[in-house]
Amino acid sequence: MLKQIIETKRKELKELVQPDEINVSRKSLYKALATPKRSIGLISEVKKASPSKGIIREDFHPELIAKGYEEGGADALSVLTDQVYFQGHRDYLSAIKQLVDLPILRKDFIIHPIQIEESVRMGADAILLIAGVMPNKDLKRLYEEATATGLECLVEVHEKEELESLLELFTPAIIGVNNRNLKTFTTDLTQTELIGEQVPKESLFVSESGIHTYEDLQKVRNAGANAVLVGESLMRADTPQKGIQTLFGGEPVEATS
């Protein structure tokens, strides 16, 4: 599946037309997650569909969902911009950026520098870079180019070996451990526990995928995660606010040290 997605992305890039740049102020994903409103940072995801789950929310209104996440106490937002496999759109991100006062992560398959300019123009504060979809030297180059434009990067790994080889080249400021195997789409929270030990202390550690309950939240927090990225369970909730409240077991919204 991952190979297929990247092939599609390469074809799309040949026809990519840059959007008009929107005039917005940049917000730091790192700072937001380092000073969370609850016991652990939360990136809430605006996602209509996925290759493994199909349509997650039929009644999909990205701006209303994003506003609900903000009102529910999310620290940051992740917005899917891939159209073919996730039914996202870059216009969703631009519209949401002008509506909420939270940092926004562009969730897509970034494989070429042209997508960095596109991300800046659409108003993203940060982008996702996935280890394993390109050689580490190319990922490092994209990381440096993005950082030079003011974009932050969430660098995602799934296996211990991916992180170890990456750290031989550089240490990302934000490291994500995806509990979902992008080759098989199976999910296992023990990935966070296994890989978490290897995440450098100076990096902010985000656990991604497969987090549905308060127990899941505690499990990854105990494994050292500073933040979580949650999409499906929040998208399936009656409202974004209720989804966040349930996920946090009723924890009050207040910064904790």
Side-chain angles (χ1 to χ4, degrees):
M1 177 58 76
L2 182 59
K3 188 178 179 183
Q4 183 182 326
I5 290 171
I6 297 304
E7 280 304 313
T8 302
K9 198 59 59 178
R10 287 196 181 107
K11 290 173 186 172
E12 289 177 0
L13 290 179
K14 291 175 183 175
E15 300 172 4
L16 188 143
V17 176
Q18 293 289 9
D20 292 333
E21 186 165 1
I22 63 170
N23 184 23
V24 288
S25 59
R26 202 65 65 73
K27 298 200 173 295
S28 171
L29 178 64
Y30 185 97
K31 286 179 183 175
L33 299 180
T35 55
K37 296 173 181 140
R38 294 183 175 88
S39 59
I40 189 169
L42 174 64
I43 307 172
S44 294
E45 191 154 84
V46 179
K47 176 166 71 172
K48 181 177 182 178
S50 77
S52 59
K53 303 287 185 179
I55 299 290
I56 295 170
R57 191 178 185 93
E58 290 279 2
D59 182 29
F60 183 72
H61 304 284
E63 292 166 75
L64 290 177
I65 292 164
K67 200 64 187 168
Y69 281 153
E70 183 177 42
E71 290 168 1
D75 297 293
L77 302 181
S78 166
V79 180
L80 266 297
T81 58
D82 175 81
Q83 289 182 252
V84 176
Y85 297 95
F86 291 86
Q87 295 192 32
H89 201 282
R90 67 188 187 186
D91 289 350
Y92 296 162
L93 192 150
S94 297
I96 289 168
K97 177 63 183 177
Q98 295 172 87
L99 185 69
V100 302
D101 193 31
L102 295 173
I104 298 181
L105 170 74
R106 180 192 182 186
K107 189 87 171 288
D108 209 316
F109 298 86
I110 307 291
I111 56 173
H112 192 280
I114 196 172
Q115 293 167 286
I116 293 172
E117 182 186 347
E118 181 191 25
S119 301
V120 170
R121 284 171 168 263
M122 70 173 71
D125 298 294
I127 57 172
L128 177 73
L129 295 176
I130 306 172
V133 305
M134 69 191 93
N136 285 337
K137 60 180 175 53
D138 294 341
L139 189 149
K140 182 174 184 278
R141 189 170 69 249
L142 285 178
Y143 183 94
E144 289 170 345
E145 289 186 26
T147 302
T149 70
L151 284 173
E152 294 179 343
C153 301
L154 170 58
V155 179
E156 175 183 296
V157 299
H158 175 71
E159 297 168 350
K160 229 175 187 179
E161 295 72 23
E162 286 180 347
L163 179 59
E164 286 169 355
S165 61
L166 199 66
L167 293 175
E168 289 174 6
L169 274 184
F170 74 112
T171 302
I174 311 173
I175 294 174
V177 171
N178 194 344
N179 300 304
R180 177 171 291 119
N181 185 319
L182 291 180
K183 296 183 177 74
T184 64
F185 278 84
T186 55
T187 306
D188 189 349
L189 289 184
T190 57
Q191 289 302 111
T192 288
E193 296 174 315
L194 291 170
I195 303 172
E197 302 167 358
Q198 308 292 118
V199 176
K201 296 299 178 192
E202 64 265 34
S203 299
L204 201 140
F205 171 21
V206 181
S207 180
E208 310 169 40
S209 304
I211 299 157
H212 299 281
T213 65
Y214 186 61
E215 289 70 33
D216 292 340
L217 207 65
Q218 295 307 306
K219 186 173 185 177
V220 298
R221 187 184 174 210
N222 291 338
N226 304 108
V228 291
L229 190 154
V230 184
E232 186 187 340
S233 65
L234 299 182
M235 290 299 303
R236 292 190 188 280
D238 290 341
T239 67
Q241 296 92 324
K242 283 182 183 175
I244 293 174
Q245 189 176 28
T246 301
L247 179 67
F248 276 88
E251 268 187 40
V253 179
E254 57 183 353
T256 56
S257 56

